[in-house]
Amino acid sequence: MIYLALSISCSVTVGVLLKLAKRYQISIAQVITWNYLFAIALSAFFFRPAINDLNLASVSPIHAILGLLLPTIFVFLALSVQKTGLARTDIAQRLSLFISLTAAYFIFKENYSELKYYGIAVGFLAIIFTLYRKSTIGYGNWLYPLLVFIGFGVIDVGFKLISQNTDLPYTTSLFLIFCIAFVLSLIYIGYLALIKKTKLQLINFICGCVLGFFNFGNILFYMKAHRAMANDPSTVFAAMNMGVIICGSLIGILIFKEKLSKLNYLGLALALLAIILITLAQLNVVR
């Protein structure tokens, strides 16, 4: 369970750092770029990827798509945290599992029990109630959490497809995706520096390294938790999602003084109920 606790802590810390970025005038684009550079270094150290096996033929369209989506969704994640709060963003991110579950049924042909259908239905209600804001006037109050929800769901499906690829080890694929994400992000901040005259600042590099440390830690400890509990993956998955939702919501409410309506709290409760129902379905507790 120590790996799960560490993974949850790293995941929530990433959200907190993105929340603080706006307050201290940190460039999100630069931070995200250097975050992937640091993630590449850590991947090379911990995963020992088979770099000699990498060539143009081994790069699939899914690698390229994920390399593009990762930095893009990071931007949406940061904007969602800053505009709608840490609590709503963490819930939107974790509820993206329902996209994965839908893909598991239609793409990976997984058999669903009746209880899992109930869990998915409750989950979509949770999304509606959690993202609801009475003061909604423009798109910004709901668009970014919705993009986070969709983006992380698509990324999760992409990683599932990558895991089925036998041409490259999964850890090597992850290293390759980080490299693509870094190169694309570097091109973007190069454009900002040369065309938009945006200054490249050392503080953004330092913050990017810190963000990359916790972002990679989230992935590393999550993988270690699955290895340590290899016979009980659903417990890892559910505990991770519930832990992030609870911790992210508490930090958002208690530290950042985020205001949630009664419907938002109902959405939070429904989110936890949905994940519990899906976990019970995976464990075949109820038929």
Side-chain angles (χ1 to χ4, degrees):
M1 294 300 288
I2 184 63
Y3 291 135
L4 267 177
L6 290 171
S7 182
I8 291 169
S9 299
C10 288
S11 180
V12 174
T13 301
V14 167
V16 172
L17 292 174
L18 292 174
K19 178 79 172 179
L20 294 172
K22 183 179 181 181
R23 181 180 299 178
Y24 294 102
Q25 305 295 312
I26 301 298
S27 170
I28 294 298
Q30 292 182 38
V31 166
I32 291 172
T33 301
W34 306 129
N35 148 76
Y36 285 118
L37 177 62
F38 203 65
I40 289 170
L42 291 173
S43 296
F45 180 78
F46 284 101
F47 293 155
R48 308 290 184 183
I51 299 177
N52 292 333
D53 294 337
L54 291 176
N55 53 61
L56 288 177
S58 64
V59 180
S60 70
I62 299 177
H63 287 112
I65 291 171
L66 286 173
L68 174 62
L69 277 179
L70 281 179
T72 303
I73 200 61
F74 231 134
V75 172
F76 291 144
L77 182 70
L79 290 172
S80 179
V81 168
Q82 292 170 6
K83 290 181 178 295
T84 67
L86 182 62
R88 288 185 181 87
T89 301
D90 272 335
I91 294 170
Q93 179 182 347
R94 292 302 156 181
L95 286 178
S96 64
L97 71 95
F98 298 107
I99 293 178
S100 305
L101 292 172
T102 303
Y105 181 80
F106 289 104
I107 298 176
F108 304 106
K109 307 302 180 182
E110 180 182 332
N111 292 323
Y112 275 17
S113 66
E114 184 177 350
L115 189 62
K116 187 168 287 188
Y117 285 115
Y118 291 146
I120 293 174
V122 172
F124 281 116
L125 283 176
I127 295 167
I128 294 171
F129 289 137
T130 300
L131 301 184
Y132 172 80
R133 295 187 73 177
K134 190 175 182 180
S135 60
T136 298
I137 297 176
Y139 292 110
N141 285 326
W142 59 267
L143 180 59
Y144 293 120
L146 184 62
L147 289 172
V148 167
F149 166 72
I150 296 172
F152 274 97
V154 173
I155 287 171
D156 191 41
V157 174
F159 276 121
K160 286 181 185 294
L161 291 171
I162 286 293
S163 68
Q164 296 179 342
N165 184 356
T166 57
D167 295 333
L168 284 176
Y170 186 74
T171 51
T172 304
S173 288
L174 189 62
F175 175 81
L176 173 61
I177 291 167
F178 282 153
C179 289
I180 295 173
F182 171 67
V183 170
L184 293 177
S185 300
L186 190 62
I187 292 172
Y188 179 63
I189 66 168
Y191 163 78
L192 293 178
L194 295 175
I195 306 300
K196 300 294 185 180
K197 307 302 180 182
T198 302
K199 292 183 179 180
L200 298 179
Q201 297 176 308
L202 179 61
I203 184 62
N204 293 321
F205 175 78
I206 295 173
C207 291
C209 291
V210 174
L211 183 68
F213 175 81
F214 287 104
N215 190 28
F216 180 81
N218 174 32
I219 297 172
L220 176 65
F221 292 125
Y222 188 60
M223 292 175 63
K224 284 184 174 291
H226 272 295
R227 291 195 187 101
M229 305 174 69
N231 296 324
D232 203 3
S234 60
T235 298
V236 176
F237 188 70
M240 180 68 187
N241 283 277
M242 286 189 288
V244 170
I245 286 176
I246 293 171
C247 293
S249 298
L250 288 176
I251 291 174
I253 294 167
L254 299 177
I255 297 180
F256 294 107
K257 309 301 180 184
E258 296 174 1
K259 302 295 183 182
L260 299 184
S261 67
K262 292 181 180 179
L263 284 179
N264 295 151
Y265 281 112
L266 176 59
L268 174 59
L270 289 175
L272 296 178
L273 175 60
I275 294 173
I276 291 172
L277 288 174
I278 291 168
T279 303
L280 292 175
Q282 289 174 317
L283 293 173
N284 294 315
V285 173
V286 179
R287 294 284 183 177

